[in-house]
Amino acid sequence: MSITLTGTKQLTRQIRALRTTPSERKKANRQMAKKGAAYSKKRIRSQRDLSGSPWASRKAKSRRKMLRGLSRTMVAFGDEKKGTIGYKNALTGQIARAHQEGINETLTAEKAQRINGTPNYDGPATTKQAKALRAEGYKIRRTGSKGYKKATIKWIKQNIKLGQAGLILRIMRDEKSKSSWAIPLPERSFLGVTPSEREQMMDFIFNNTLHNVKG
């Protein structure tokens, strides 16, 4: 995923009028890309899209800001013809595109492992798994008496392994093991520049280029 920033016709004519060298044009385009990246990162901090509207919130309630990792790994570079904002890592670029355009992302077990690492299946069940097991009605035998009782979250985390919890949940829900999952994502645009930002970039690049030529 990358966004290409090319100067408007007005800016292009202005820079050409200054008779800049290829290295100067490369520098100007790199500066333009860095400014565009700064605007994009600002949108991630404010959690707003290119139109200025707030992003669609997560389904699960959380106060944590979204897409912070995409801000940290964003890169900006330029050549003689254009400036570009994007990501060096292809997987990160795919994730950025999914959020930028609001497309369904297919998450495979292999991709999940690359993102989150290999789970410790022998480790304790997670709180999320314990709550899910309780919601499904998971029961254990009563101590010293007949019958069963609903397992507590604490008991599940202390007595059931992560891998076991996943298997039990699939059995209780009558689910087959999945090798991929479709994750619907709402559009949360952040890469690119708005018309007003483009005007600011024009002024910045032109004045900076003019200063360097005069110098």
Side-chain angles (χ1 to χ4, degrees):
M1 174 64 181
S2 64
I3 296 293
T4 299
L5 302 175
T6 55
T8 61
K9 291 182 179 180
Q10 180 184 353
L11 178 57
T12 301
R13 285 196 298 266
Q14 288 173 333
I15 293 179
R16 285 178 179 174
L18 295 173
R19 296 181 180 178
T20 54
T21 65
S23 62
E24 289 169 339
R25 287 195 295 273
K26 181 178 179 180
K27 181 179 180 181
N29 285 329
R30 186 168 61 248
Q31 290 174 333
M32 181 168 63
K34 287 182 177 180
K35 290 288 287 186
Y39 291 135
S40 298
K41 290 178 180 181
K42 184 178 179 181
R43 269 185 284 278
I44 292 178
R45 289 195 299 271
S46 64
Q47 305 283 278
R48 291 181 178 272
D49 62 22
L50 284 161
S51 68
S53 301
W55 284 343
S57 59
R58 292 187 180 95
K59 287 185 178 180
K61 293 183 179 179
S62 175
R63 293 185 178 181
R64 293 192 305 112
K65 287 191 173 183
M66 296 176 279
L67 311 189
R68 292 179 301 172
L70 295 180
S71 177
R72 291 192 293 268
T73 56
M74 191 182 299
V75 294
F77 48 92
D79 55 28
E80 297 175 23
K81 296 181 179 180
K82 63 184 182 300
T84 303
I85 307 168
Y87 298 88
K88 291 183 178 180
N89 182 277
L91 177 59
T92 305
Q94 292 174 10
I95 295 172
R97 178 173 176 264
H99 285 283
Q100 176 84 3
E101 301 178 4
I103 61 177
N104 288 348
E105 181 185 12
T106 300
L107 184 66
T108 64
E110 182 181 355
K111 185 184 291 185
Q113 185 172 320
R114 291 204 306 269
I115 296 172
N116 302 315
T118 304
N120 179 14
Y121 294 109
D122 290 327
T126 66
T127 300
K128 183 177 180 180
Q129 287 178 318
K131 289 181 178 179
L133 284 169
R134 273 186 60 85
E136 293 295 329
Y138 183 74
K139 295 180 180 181
I140 57 175
R141 187 179 294 277
R142 293 181 182 276
T143 304
S145 61
K146 295 181 179 180
Y148 292 84
K149 65 178 180 178
K150 204 168 186 178
T152 64
I153 292 175
K154 181 179 179 180
W155 187 95
I156 293 172
K157 293 177 67 176
Q158 289 179 343
N159 294 273
I160 298 181
K161 297 179 181 180
L162 185 145
Q164 292 173 328
L167 177 60
I168 293 170
L169 278 170
R170 287 198 300 273
I171 294 173
M172 295 185 74
R173 292 170 174 173
D174 194 23
E175 294 177 344
K176 294 182 179 180
S177 181
K178 295 181 179 180
S179 58
S180 64
W181 308 264
I183 303 175
L185 292 175
E187 181 180 326
R188 298 187 180 105
S189 63
F190 60 96
L191 281 175
V193 294
T194 65
S196 62
E197 290 169 349
R198 186 180 292 275
E199 293 300 316
Q200 294 175 33
M201 290 170 61
M202 284 174 58
D203 291 338
F204 172 79
I205 298 299
F206 179 70
N207 291 332
N208 195 53
T209 303
L210 180 60
H211 174 76
N212 291 335
V213 171
K214 288 182 176 179

